[in-house]
């Protein structure tokens, strides 16, 4: 029943899109994310205070030290770059309407197609959404992305990287209906693909390093 | 590690004392120089030998470290092997459990289908249909987690998804007081037969012990042993109207009219819309064949645009805003953007469009416009327009929905008056606005409804009452937050 409602909502009205501005963690913040940051900093010897979930002056000093040593901008704020360097993931900023789908879509786009032209990044998101609407694939975004073997970036863990602003925008644009692939369900890199079945499919278009079919 | 101390050179001291003699002769000088030379050579050789010794010691120490490393590696690789073995075994357990559950779910579908076919009461039928739709959904969910290649899984996936979808559509129609038709009973019978066979096959495969130990990689997913259509198990073809039905997947665009245009003509249209110099990327086939073009604005922002081959319509256009503004626009700013969007739509010959919902992100205000047919909002005919909040230029558009469904449609006369329909809305709601709208009920059917926007407990709802038979067809909740206004 949920499926139908989703599909109708997709065609009927604009889908509800999640906020994707990521909350940066800075001085004065409290909570689980601060605990994560403190743990990492402590583990690597940057922080000597207690892991209390409060971003105080000691944590600030540790973050700055970490940033300086790692060639990051030394602002004492744990934004997406510092978080990525720490190996933690920032959660989305607002509660309530947060839908993980946009973020998950951005992660697969970043893992699969960063460095591709913008259109090629939107196209990867569009292929995921075309699969969600297809009867031959799982009917949720997570189901499609995590289908065993369906995406290299899931197999090799690149999906766990923090997406950049471009990938996030591409995810939202794809969610809003942009489909540069004209309905494609597959894409591959002709330089590396070996599946004869895949290579035998008629290619609809090429964007950057990807052939869509 | 070589010790720094070991490397330290000894300080060379001395030199030979020079004796003074009154009688100067070259011989003692020569002898003295020779002695001094020998002495220096001797000392240097000693130092060299010491260096060699320390080098040897250093190498020995390094070899010792290496040996310890190798030993450590050997023992840790044993630990590593054990960990891999544990992971492998837990993956296998998980996959075995999945395969078993999948077989169980299909068996449960089979039982519910059998009961449904012989059931005499509406309520019993609805319960059985609900069960079928739930079991089918769970089965498809489990299937997606098992490492099966696309070739093996896609037809089974389609069978499960369509069975669930079909059961859901039948539930809807029974809830509206309709009967299951004879054709649908026949379809249910063939579904039951297919489930009997499938349940056996899945049970046998779950019990075979041939359980995978790891997830597939990309090459495994698209392995070459893809079954051809003839080799695929014979699942019944279902004829119904639902989101995953074959008829929906094969639907053709309704809104394409006119003659095919050339790439050159398309380029001119694209150039007019974007105002930048474009390169052609050729024709893309698909449901809506289109010419693709790309370029960049003067300040380097990427521009992509696609024009339909038939009729030369704008399919989509994407660029980015000059500044990445995130905060909510004021009512005044919204009005300005709306005006810009409306003006632009008229220029692109999208006539009679009315704004519905909006979002804002990355410096753009996205407004969804729907076609307005003499006061009836047709939600299927949707064009989305992205307006740059800094420049008020249109920097994106998506007309795919419009091109897919826009056609001269027959809109029925309402049989209910607005007052009669309003009386059917829950008394909890305070109605604020009213209008007529065509909304999609299934992918291929639209119904004429009165659209009531109403509030209850600080939340805005949109309620759709069928203008012909009074059914409450749909309820949406309006989410109005920092990202815009949308309906869920």
């Amino acid at each position: 029943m949920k499926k139908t409602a989703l599909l109708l909502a997709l065609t009927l009205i604009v889908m509800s899109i999640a906020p994707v501005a990521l909350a940066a963690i800075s001085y004065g913040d409290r909570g689980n994310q601060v605990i994560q940051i403190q743990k990492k900093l402590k583990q690597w010897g940057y922080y000597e205070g207690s892991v209390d979930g409060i971003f105080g002056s000691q944590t600030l000093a540790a973050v700055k030290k970490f940033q300086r040593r790692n060639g990051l901008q030394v602002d004492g704020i744990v934004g997406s770059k510092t978080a990525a360097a720490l190996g933690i993931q920032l959660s989305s900023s607002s509660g309530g309407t947060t839908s993980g789908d946009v973020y998950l879509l951005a992660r697969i786009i970043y893992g699969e197609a960063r460095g591709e032209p913008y259109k090629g990044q939107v196209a990867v998101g569009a292929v995921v959404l075309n699969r969600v609407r297809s009867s031959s694939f799982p009917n949720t975004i997570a189901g499609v992305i995590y289908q065993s073997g369906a995406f290299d970036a899931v197999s090799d863990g690149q999906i766990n990287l923090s997406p950049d602003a471009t990938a996030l925008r591409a995810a939202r644009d794809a969610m809003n209906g942009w489909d540069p692939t004209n309905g494609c369900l597959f894409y591959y890199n002709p330089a590396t693909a070996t599946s004869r079945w895949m290579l035998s499919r008629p290619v609809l278009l090429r964007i950057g390093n990807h052939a869509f079919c | 590690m070589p010790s720094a101390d070991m490397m330290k050179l000894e300080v060379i001291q001395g030199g030979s004392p020079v004796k003074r003699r009154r009688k100067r002769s070259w011989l003692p000088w020569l002898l003295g120089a020779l002695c001094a030379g020998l002495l220096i050579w001797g000392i240097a050789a000693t130092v060299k030998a010491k260096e060699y010794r320390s080098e040897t010691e250093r190498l020995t120490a390094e070899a010792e470290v290496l040996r310890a490393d190798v030993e450590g590696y050997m023992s840790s690789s044993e630990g590593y092997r054990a960990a891999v073995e544990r992971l492998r075994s837990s993956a296998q357990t998980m996959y075995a459990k999945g395969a078993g559950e999948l077989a169980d779910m299909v068996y449960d579908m089979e039982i519910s289908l059998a009961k449904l076919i012989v059931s005499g009461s509406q309520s019993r039928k609805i319960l059985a249909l609900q069960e079928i739709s739930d079991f089918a959904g769970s089965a498809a969910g489990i299937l997606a987690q098992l490492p099966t290649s696309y070739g093996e899984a896609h037809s089974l996936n389609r069978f499960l998804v369509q069975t669930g979808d079909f059961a859901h559509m039948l539930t809807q129609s029974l809830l509206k007081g309709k009967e299951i038709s004879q054709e649908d009973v026949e379809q249910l019978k063939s579904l039951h037969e297919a489930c009997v066979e499938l349940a056996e096959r899945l049970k046998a495969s779950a019990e075979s012990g041939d359980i995978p130990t790891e997830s597939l990689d990309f090459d495994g997913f698209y392995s070459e042993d893809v079954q051809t259509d003839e080799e695929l198990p014979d699942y019944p073809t279902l004829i119904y109207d639902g989101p995953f039905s074959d008829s929906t997947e094969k639907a053709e665009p309704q809104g394409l009219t006119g003659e095919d245009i050339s790439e050159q003509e398309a380029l001119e249209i694209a150039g007019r819309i974007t105002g930048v110099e474009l390169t052609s990327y050729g024709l893309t086939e698909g449901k809506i064949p289109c010419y693709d073009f790309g370029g960049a604005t003067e300040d380097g922002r990427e521009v992509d645009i696609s024009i339909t081959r038939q009729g030369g319509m704008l399919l989509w256009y994407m660029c980015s805003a000059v500044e990445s503004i995130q905060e909510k626009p004021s009512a005044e700013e919204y009005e300005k953007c709306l005006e810009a969007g409306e003006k632009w739509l008229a220029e692109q010959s999208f006539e009679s469009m009315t704004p519905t919902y909006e979002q804002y992100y990355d410096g753009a205000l996205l407004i969804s416009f729907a076609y307005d047919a003499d006061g009836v909002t047709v939600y299927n005919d949707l064009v989305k327009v992205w307006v740059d909040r800094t420049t008020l230029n249109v920097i994106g558009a998506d007309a795919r929905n419009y091109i897919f469904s826009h056609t001269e449609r027959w809109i029925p006369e309402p049989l209910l008056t607005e007052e009669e329909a309003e009386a059917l809305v829950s008394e909890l709601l305070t109605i604020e606005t009213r209008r007529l709208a065509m909304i999609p009920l299934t992918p291929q059917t639209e119904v004429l409804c009165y659209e009531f926007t109403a509030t209850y407990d600080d939340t805005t709802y949109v309620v759709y009452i069928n203008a012909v038979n009074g059914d409450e067809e749909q309820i949406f909740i309006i989410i109005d937050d920092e990202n815009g206004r949308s309906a869920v």
Side-chain angles (χ1 to χ4, degrees):
Chain A
M1 219 180 306
K2 235 174 156 183
K3 267 185 323 213
T4 324
L6 168 78
L7 276 146
L8 287 180
L10 266 170
T11 45
L12 177 60
I13 300 171
V14 190
M15 260 194 64
S16 153
I17 292 301
V20 289
L22 292 175
I25 310 283
S26 55
Y27 183 76
D29 284 343
R30 286 161 186 254
N32 280 336
Q33 300 227 306
V34 179
I35 291 181
Q36 276 188 45
I37 293 166
Q38 288 173 332
K39 272 188 186 164
K40 286 280 183 181
L41 290 171
K42 192 155 194 163
Q43 196 181 322
W44 293 335
Y46 292 95
Y47 179 65
E48 313 214 305
S50 58
V51 178
D52 53 6
I54 301 166
F55 200 127
S57 54
Q58 260 184 302
T59 313
L60 179 68
V63 168
K64 283 187 174 169
K65 198 166 154 193
F66 175 81
Q67 289 172 327
R68 204 170 297 121
R69 290 258 182 92
N70 290 280
L72 298 155
Q73 196 190 337
V74 185
D75 55 7
I77 298 167
V78 182
S80 58
K81 280 191 184 143
T82 305
L86 279 166
I88 61 170
Q89 207 147 75
L90 292 179
S91 61
S92 294
S93 60
S94 85
T97 58
T98 305
S99 146
D101 282 350
V102 173
Y103 194 69
L104 180 58
L105 195 62
R107 274 165 51 199
I108 193 73
I109 290 172
Y110 189 70
E112 288 272 311
R114 63 178 178 280
E116 290 289 315
Y118 182 68
K119 184 181 164 190
Q121 299 195 27
V122 178
V124 165
V127 164
V128 170
L129 296 172
N130 288 338
R131 287 188 180 184
V132 173
R133 289 181 206 115
S134 159
S135 63
S136 299
F137 287 92
N139 302 127
T140 60
I141 290 176
V144 164
I145 289 174
Y146 288 112
Q147 191 173 13
S148 187
F151 293 99
D152 271 341
V154 175
S155 305
D156 64 18
Q158 292 198 50
I159 188 166
N160 296 320
L161 300 172
S162 295
D164 60 5
T166 310
L168 281 163
R169 183 162 75 89
R172 303 191 91 173
D173 282 344
M175 285 284 240
N176 275 319
W178 263 337
D179 180 8
T181 75
N182 219 349
C184 286
L185 290 173
F186 306 96
Y187 64 85
Y188 61 89
N189 184 341
T192 56
T194 55
S195 161
R196 249 188 302 161
W197 175 80
M198 187 67 110
L199 292 169
S200 71
R201 289 184 64 86
V203 171
L204 235 55
L205 78 160
R206 284 168 204 277
I207 308 171
N209 288 319
H210 287 142
F212 292 82
C213 51
Chain B
M1 287 291 287
S3 140
D5 297 42
M6 286 181 165
M7 301 294 287
K8 212 183 275 172
L9 286 173
E10 286 195 354
V11 181
I12 302 169
Q13 289 181 337
S16 66
V18 180
K19 293 174 182 172
R20 289 172 175 252
R21 285 187 184 172
R22 245 162 238 172
K23 197 176 174 186
R24 295 189 177 187
S25 147
W26 56 268
L27 195 65
W29 279 106
L30 184 68
L31 279 171
L34 256 171
C35 285
L38 275 168
L39 194 66
I40 290 167
W41 179 79
I43 291 168
T46 317
V47 171
K48 203 79 185 163
K50 271 196 179 164
E51 261 181 43
Y52 277 133
R53 225 181 2 258
S54 70
E55 179 71 8
T56 313
E57 275 166 16
R58 188 180 64 80
L59 281 174
T60 317
E62 267 192 9
E64 182 56 38
V65 169
L66 265 177
R67 199 183 55 78
D69 272 356
V70 168
E71 270 178 9
Y73 173 76
M74 296 285 275
S75 61
S76 75
S77 91
E78 267 159 37
Y80 178 71
R81 262 201 297 278
V84 167
E85 211 33 66
R86 273 200 305 279
L87 282 174
R88 194 197 297 282
S89 127
S90 64
Q92 202 159 17
T93 313
M94 211 173 70
Y95 293 139
K97 175 173 169 277
E101 279 176 350
L102 179 60
D104 284 351
M105 287 292 161
V106 174
Y107 178 70
D108 290 342
M109 274 168 72
E110 174 197 326
I111 299 297
S112 297
L113 277 159
K115 290 180 181 171
L116 168 67
I117 292 165
V118 298
S119 160
S121 73
Q122 293 289 87
S123 58
R124 193 71 247 167
K125 281 179 190 164
I126 289 170
L127 275 176
L129 283 166
Q130 284 282 16
E131 282 172 8
I132 293 163
S133 146
D134 288 351
F135 292 143
S138 308
I142 296 165
L143 176 64
Q145 284 167 20
L146 295 176
T148 39
S149 72
Y150 173 73
E152 289 171 306
H154 82 280
S155 60
L156 175 54
N157 191 86
R158 167 175 291 146
F159 173 74
L160 295 170
V161 166
Q162 290 190 340
T163 304
D165 200 19
F166 177 54
H168 179 64
M169 293 329 252
L170 283 180
T171 311
Q172 303 275 80
S173 101
L174 283 183
L175 284 171
K176 287 189 166 182
K178 292 181 191 146
E179 294 286 329
I180 298 183
S181 71
Q182 194 51 43
E183 288 89 65
D184 286 342
V185 172
E186 293 305 320
Q187 301 210 67
L188 290 168
K189 281 183 188 164
S190 65
L191 278 178
H192 177 252
E193 275 166 36
C195 276
V196 171
E197 206 187 302
L198 182 60
E200 266 172 32
R201 194 155 59 82
L202 290 172
K203 187 159 172 273
S205 126
E207 285 169 356
S208 70
D210 187 15
I211 303 296
T213 53
E214 55 188 35
S215 61
L216 292 175
D217 60 6
F218 188 73
D219 286 336
F221 186 62
Y222 298 110
S223 62
E224 288 163 18
D225 57 342
V226 175
Q227 294 149 305
T228 60
D229 285 342
E230 295 87 61
E231 292 166 357
L232 286 174
D234 204 11
Y235 296 120
T237 310
L238 289 176
I239 297 162
Y240 71 103
D241 177 16
F244 298 105
S245 64
D246 290 347
S247 51
T248 301
E249 293 193 344
K250 286 183 187 132
E252 291 294 321
Q254 305 290 309
L256 282 177
T257 52
E259 298 295 309
D260 281 5
I261 61 164
S262 69
E263 189 173 304
Q264 189 54 39
E265 288 169 302
L267 177 62
E268 281 162 25
I269 296 169
R272 252 199 322 272
I273 294 170
T274 59
V276 303
E277 198 158 320
L278 298 165
T279 316
S280 172
Y281 296 140
L283 180 76
T284 298
E285 296 287 353
K287 287 235 171 115
I288 307 175
C290 55
Y291 295 106
D292 296 338
F293 305 98
T297 60
E298 274 172 16
D299 56 357
R301 285 169 295 137
E302 188 178 325
V303 176
D304 289 287
I305 185 163
S306 199
I307 305 291
T308 65
R309 180 176 61 187
Q310 190 186 348
M313 294 174 82
L314 171 70
L315 180 60
W316 51 259
Y317 160 38
M318 20 188 225
C319 185
S320 48
V322 289
E323 278 174 60
S324 179
I325 309 166
Q326 301 290 357
E327 68 267 20
K328 194 169 178 160
S330 64
E332 193 188 350
E333 189 185 353
Y334 170 77
E335 282 305 321
K336 276 189 195 160
C337 290
L338 177 63
E339 205 177 300
E342 281 174 334
K343 185 166 161 272
W344 183 87
L345 272 175
E347 282 165 14
Q348 312 309 322
S349 320
F350 289 106
E351 315 254 316
S352 181
M353 304 297 286
T354 182
T356 59
Y357 296 90
E358 68 279 343
Q359 288 173 45
Y360 11 92
Y361 62 95
D362 291 322
L365 184 68
L366 157 58
I367 307 169
S368 298
F369 290 92
Y371 177 63
D372 183 300
D374 291 328
V376 179
T377 307
V378 181
Y379 278 107
N380 266 344
D381 299 5
L382 205 67
V383 179
K384 293 174 190 174
V385 177
W386 280 254
V387 181
D388 189 321
R389 289 170 63 180
T390 315
T391 63
L392 292 181
N393 288 329
V394 168
I395 46 157
D398 172 30
R400 185 177 298 274
N401 285 318
Y402 184 92
I403 290 173
F404 239 93
S405 65
H406 184 66
T407 179
E408 219 168 284
R409 44 167 67 69
W410 175 76
I411 296 176
E413 282 296 316
L415 292 183
L416 272 72
T417 63
E418 199 173 84
E419 293 70 39
E420 285 168 332
E422 197 168 321
L424 297 166
V425 176
S426 163
E427 282 169 8
L428 289 176
L429 291 165
T430 313
I431 295 173
E432 284 171 356
T433 67
R434 308 149 173 87
R435 66 177 173 188
L436 277 168
M438 286 290 273
I439 65 164
L441 199 59
T442 69
Q444 286 149 76
T445 21
E446 289 177 310
V447 287
L448 179 68
C449 289
Y450 284 105
E451 176 188 285
F452 295 104
T453 307
T455 53
Y456 168 64
D457 201 15
D458 288 337
T459 305
T460 305
Y461 295 83
V462 183
V463 178
Y464 291 93
I465 304 290
N466 192 312
V468 177
N469 61 25
D471 282 348
E472 189 178 50
E473 301 284 13
Q474 183 65 271
I475 298 176
F476 284 115
I477 294 177
I478 302 301
I479 307 285
D480 194 349
D481 60 14
E482 71 273 25
N483 303 287
R485 216 162 47 89
S486 51
V488 292

